[in-house]
Amino acid sequence: MNNKNESASIKEVLWKNHKAVQFSAGGYEALIVPEVGANVIEFRNTIKEVSILRSPNDDLEFEEFKSRPQVYGLPVLFPPNRIEDGKFKVGDKVYQFPINEPKNHNYIHGFIKNDRWQITKKEIISKGEVEIEAVFNFNKEHSFYKYLPHEFQFKLIYNLSNKGLKQTTSITNLSDKEMPIGIGYHTAFNVPFHEESKDEDYRIIASIGKRWVQDERNLPTEEILDLTEKEKQYVNKGIIPLGYKIESHYTLKNINVDGSEFHGAIIEDISKKLRVVYEMGKEYKHMVIWNDMGDKHYVCIEPQTCVINAPNINLDDNITGFKTLAPKDTWKESAKIYVEDFN
């Protein structure tokens, strides 16, 4: 276990026979696999013995991680979740993505989560703080360019300190045309996150406002409903996240947590009086909560800039969150994950 006063460090390591970057600061440890989406595949608070994110346990699971990175760590979705029939229109331009969810005839989860990224910066800022920068440059050489003909640069900056992990995401449109963007994370949290705790010790609190109704293809309809009495518990005492299926899509709004405004989600261990806090920047206006049938000891909390299938929903962009990025413009937002005690 790390000592609280141990100096920050950055190491290049082999993890499951893949090159990785391991970094630590302020009682936290994290590990990135650049060749699989620059995913933070391990994240721990070593002082409180909390294993925050779901990681592959063995070589077999690592193979699944390479093909399905959306169920491990902190994978980026671009665009988030599903596009109906893989098709949408922006102005006069029609985009046709490949169908990779044949059962529902959708395009799902984007492509940069599986792709190779470059680590462009590794810096120990101080004794208690480190910063890692990862970049994905997309151009005409990429096989997906025929579906999304815009050059762009995606950048992830991970800052680690005693305040936890701050992740700053940016995308710059390097093309000469308006570019559709939608960004999300399929963040997979361990439940339980402490080895001495049990499933029933856990609750999720989430700053949700309303629920998007979804059809049999898991696509939102244009109906947005008030929360049910059970769903209202997300914003109060919280809901047990395991033991039954959860797959719901919500709008985000600020709620009051311990006297302060909060935007995001919290996983609490009531036996240890510990919580993992997922604080989301205001650009994340929608969220999916999904637990993979509720029997696999993890839950995905998925902040999104836009609703699933946003460009195909016949509602105002202010409601769906769909946006385009002008040539040479940059979009940027941050999120934080950290561990704290609570009463």
Side-chain angles (χ1 to χ4, degrees):
M1 187 188 301
N2 282 8
N3 186 287
K4 237 182 218 187
N5 299 315
E6 185 176 342
S7 295
S9 68
I10 302 171
K11 302 173 188 172
E12 292 188 10
V13 299
L14 266 185
W15 188 79
K16 318 279 188 201
N17 292 317
H18 287 261
K19 290 181 180 179
V21 178
Q22 187 178 65
F23 52 111
S24 61
Y28 289 91
E29 283 184 353
L31 186 141
I32 291 177
V33 181
E35 61 189 77
V36 189
N39 194 332
V40 178
I41 196 60
E42 287 187 344
F43 182 39
R44 298 188 176 97
N45 183 302
T46 55
I47 297 165
K48 299 183 183 296
E49 300 181 304
V50 171
S51 180
I52 299 168
L53 297 178
R54 184 183 188 227
S55 302
N57 290 318
D58 52 35
D59 290 342
L60 187 64
E61 280 200 345
F62 188 79
E63 289 305 308
E64 184 189 33
F65 161 61
K66 287 196 293 184
S67 62
R68 292 185 72 219
Q70 63 267 25
V71 295
Y72 295 97
L74 187 53
V76 57
L77 304 184
F78 177 72
N81 286 304
R82 295 170 174 86
I83 298 290
E84 182 179 6
D85 302 321
K87 187 175 183 178
F88 62 99
K89 186 177 181 181
V90 180
D92 295 328
K93 171 69 177 172
V94 176
Y95 296 83
Q96 178 65 67
F97 290 178
I99 302 301
N100 60 358
E101 190 191 35
K103 180 180 76 169
N104 292 321
H105 206 258
N106 297 319
Y107 177 73
I108 189 169
H109 290 152
F111 62 97
I112 66 175
K113 70 188 186 318
N114 302 75
D115 227 311
R116 182 184 296 273
W117 290 52
Q118 295 176 320
I119 301 297
T120 49
K121 178 181 173 185
K122 294 180 291 184
E123 182 179 355
I124 297 175
I125 295 173
S126 68
K127 185 177 179 181
E129 185 178 359
V130 301
E131 194 162 278
I132 308 292
E133 179 184 274
V135 166
F136 177 76
N137 290 307
F138 182 78
N139 55 41
K140 295 176 182 179
E141 304 303 313
H142 197 284
S143 60
F144 206 86
Y145 187 87
K146 61 188 174 187
Y147 307 116
L148 184 64
H150 299 273
E151 295 192 343
F152 63 84
Q153 184 184 74
F154 215 111
K155 185 182 291 184
L156 296 172
I157 297 175
Y158 297 110
N159 181 282
L160 190 65
S161 70
N162 62 2
K163 297 178 182 178
L165 183 71
K166 180 181 179 182
Q167 176 205 51
T168 302
T169 304
S170 66
I171 181 168
T172 301
N173 180 5
L174 301 176
S175 75
D176 58 1
K177 293 183 175 62
E178 292 270 333
M179 172 184 167
I181 65 165
I183 291 125
Y185 286 88
H186 210 282
T187 315
F189 290 93
N190 283 324
V191 181
F193 53 63
H194 195 287
E195 62 179 12
E196 295 175 359
S197 300
K198 300 175 182 176
D199 296 358
E200 55 267 30
D201 295 330
Y202 283 74
R203 303 288 185 275
I204 290 183
I205 296 167
S207 67
I208 56 176
K210 293 181 181 290
R211 175 168 50 85
W212 286 93
V213 177
Q214 291 173 276
D215 63 20
E216 66 282 354
R217 294 168 64 186
N218 290 319
L219 298 168
T221 68
E222 293 170 13
E223 192 174 10
I224 309 171
L225 299 181
D226 290 335
L227 302 180
T228 64
E229 288 305 310
K230 182 177 181 181
E231 287 171 323
K232 288 176 183 176
Q233 291 306 307
Y234 275 121
V235 302
N236 297 312
K237 295 180 179 179
I239 289 178
I240 297 174
L242 296 179
Y244 58 99
K245 178 183 177 181
I246 300 174
E247 184 166 2
S248 299
H249 194 5
Y250 300 103
T251 63
L252 280 174
K253 72 167 191 178
N254 289 0
I255 62 171
N256 186 289
V257 174
D258 298 338
S260 299
E261 279 206 337
F262 177 74
H263 189 76
I266 296 167
I267 305 175
E268 290 188 341
D269 181 334
I270 57 177
S271 68
K272 296 291 183 184
K273 296 296 180 183
L274 285 173
R275 59 168 57 140
V276 169
V277 181
Y278 195 6
E279 193 177 319
M280 303 166 188
K282 60 180 174 52
E283 285 288 304
Y284 297 113
K285 295 177 167 58
H286 305 266
M287 182 166 68
V288 171
I289 302 174
W290 176 76
N291 68 359
D292 199 2
M293 303 305 293
D295 59 356
K296 300 177 183 67
H297 296 290
Y298 75 97
V299 61
C300 288
I301 298 173
E302 308 172 30
Q304 301 182 181
T305 61
C306 59
V307 66
I308 292 170
N309 197 35
N312 291 318
I313 294 177
N314 190 28
L315 294 172
D316 192 276
D317 290 349
N318 289 330
I319 297 172
T320 67
F322 178 71
K323 62 183 62 179
T324 59
L325 195 60
K328 313 313 174 191
D329 271 6
T330 297
W331 175 93
K332 180 187 286 188
E333 187 54 281
S334 296
K336 300 175 184 176
I337 303 176
Y338 53 93
V339 178
E340 67 179 14
D341 301 301
F342 72 96
N343 296 318

